[in-house]
Amino acid sequence: MVVCVCNAIRERDLRDVARDGQFRCAKAAYAQLGRKPKCGQCLPFARNIISDVAATA
């Protein structure tokens, strides 16, 4: 599933970065992927994914 259309970030990519880097912030995870939020509509969903990964870690 695509999380961020502007940056073509997939849920799988975001989960991998969150799991490997232990990021709690969506912007930091995006930076790890070499991107930054553009329109910001994806940030709440990205935060939920990162929280989910942190809860299961």
Side-chain angles (χ1 to χ4, degrees):
M1 168 191 258
V2 175
V3 173
C4 178
V5 175
C6 297
N7 288 303
I9 296 174
R10 297 175 186 232
E11 182 176 356
R12 174 185 61 216
D13 300 331
L14 195 57
R15 284 186 183 276
D16 290 344
V17 166
R19 191 172 23 253
D20 294 341
Q22 298 299 316
F23 293 105
R24 302 274 189 241
C25 173
K27 290 181 181 180
Y30 278 43
Q32 183 67 26
L33 291 168
R35 300 177 181 106
K36 58 184 175 181
K38 292 182 182 178
C39 72
Q41 291 182 2
C42 58
L43 291 177
F45 187 55
R47 285 185 199 112
N48 287 339
I49 292 169
I50 292 168
S51 295
D52 181 48
V53 169
T56 59

